[in-house]
Amino acid sequence: AQSVAQPEDQVNVAEGNPLTVKCTYSVSGNPYLFWYVQYPNRGLQFLLKYITGDNLVKGSYGFEAEFNKSQTSFHLKKPSALVSDSALYFCAVRDRTGGFKTIFGAGTRLFVKA
Amino acid sequence: KAGVTQTPRYLIKTRGQQVTLSCSPISGHRSVSWYQQTPGQGLQFLFEYFSETQRNKGNFPGRFSGRQFSNSRSEMNVSTLELGDSALYLCASSLNRGLDNEQFFGPGTRLTVL
């Protein structure tokens, strides 16, 4: 069965510092991995995805994510955090056995302090 | 291009009643998925529709149902409401059912069951 784990409920970082939001996954086949962000009282917004190819994926708003097959991880990163990055971040996965059904992690709340 | 719209945005019902939520996907998008978001359970997949057919279903009781119309608009219905059904219900659309397709989310309908 597919599953996604986001081990940190909350991540705190100072503005200007690098940030990392962690995600590990479990699927039967090759994973299709996604990151989404949710701002208060809004739906989720797509940030980036890994399908195949280069392990470092670049996305919106300066975010990037690193796919590591051996560690089954897909951590979200940004070199320099902004206060406006404060939000709830979700990692998600699909694979061929699950079809188009998307499994989301529990979410990680990011606080960026000025 | 207009985003995903959901109506109504807020809804208050009492136990035992039923409710219908509506979702209009982005123009040209043919796949619509529904999710329930709660603080305790996070984002849980309800079902997915494509070409007016339910293609995937999550682990929810039969009180939760949905449908999709020929213009890709979708509705979900919850009958015999329970207190535990209080949640944010999110609709997401995708161009098609490709595993690499990202989803575009609406702002959600916040349902409160009293």
Side-chain angles (χ1 to χ4, degrees):
Chain A
Q2 305 157 295
S3 67
V4 177
Q6 292 182 242
E8 301 154 317
D9 291 336
Q10 184 171 309
V11 170
N12 297 309
V13 64
E15 188 174 35
N17 284 0
L19 69 88
T20 298
V21 182
K22 295 179 181 177
C23 170
T24 59
Y25 65 90
S26 175
V27 296
S28 301
N30 291 324
Y32 294 74
L33 295 156
F34 303 81
W35 275 101
Y36 289 85
V37 60
Q38 186 178 32
Y39 297 99
N41 300 314
R42 303 272 297 273
L44 279 68
Q45 295 178 36
F46 168 75
L47 276 179
L48 50 79
K49 63 184 176 184
Y50 171 82
I51 305 304
T52 186
D54 194 349
N55 289 343
L56 186 63
V57 179
K58 294 190 182 299
S60 307
Y61 313 119
F63 283 94
E64 56 190 28
E66 187 169 10
F67 171 68
N68 187 314
K69 187 173 183 178
S70 62
Q71 297 185 3
T72 61
S73 67
F74 188 54
H75 300 332
L76 181 70
K77 300 182 180 185
K78 188 173 182 181
S80 179
L82 299 172
V83 171
S84 58
D85 292 330
S86 298
L88 187 56
Y89 291 80
F90 290 95
C91 181
V93 68
R94 292 187 195 125
D95 73 345
R96 291 199 180 278
T97 61
F100 198 68
K101 181 177 176 179
T102 306
I103 303 301
F104 284 84
T108 298
R109 191 164 295 281
L110 174 67
F111 285 102
V112 181
K113 191 174 181 180
Chain B
K1 192 182 265 191
V4 177
T5 58
Q6 292 186 245
T7 57
R9 291 292 311 277
Y10 301 91
L11 208 48
I12 299 175
K13 293 285 187 179
T14 56
R15 280 182 299 173
Q17 287 187 308
Q18 75 162 18
V19 66
T20 299
L21 312 181
S22 180
C23 171
S24 293
I26 290 172
S27 177
H29 283 196
R30 298 170 64 196
S31 171
V32 174
S33 298
W34 288 89
Y35 296 87
Q36 181 195 66
Q37 185 177 20
T38 58
Q41 299 296 319
L43 269 166
Q44 293 192 287
F45 173 79
L46 278 157
F47 25 64
E48 183 235 341
Y49 287 87
F50 183 82
S51 293
E52 302 176 64
T53 302
Q54 187 180 91
R55 304 297 179 130
N56 272 303
K57 191 177 192 306
N59 297 323
F60 278 82
R63 300 185 296 106
F64 292 82
S65 63
R67 59 178 175 168
Q68 186 182 35
F69 302 94
S70 58
N71 61 358
S72 294
R73 191 176 70 85
S74 177
E75 289 180 348
M76 67 164 281
N77 185 77
V78 188
S79 62
T80 320
L81 284 166
E82 300 177 1
L83 295 179
D85 297 334
S86 295
L88 181 66
Y89 290 88
L90 292 167
C91 165
S93 75
S94 293
L95 191 60
N96 54 46
R97 302 189 77 238
L99 291 175
D100 60 341
N101 276 195
E102 61 266 32
Q103 294 177 295
F104 295 81
F105 284 79
T109 294
R110 184 162 297 280
L111 171 65
T112 301
V113 182
L114 302 176

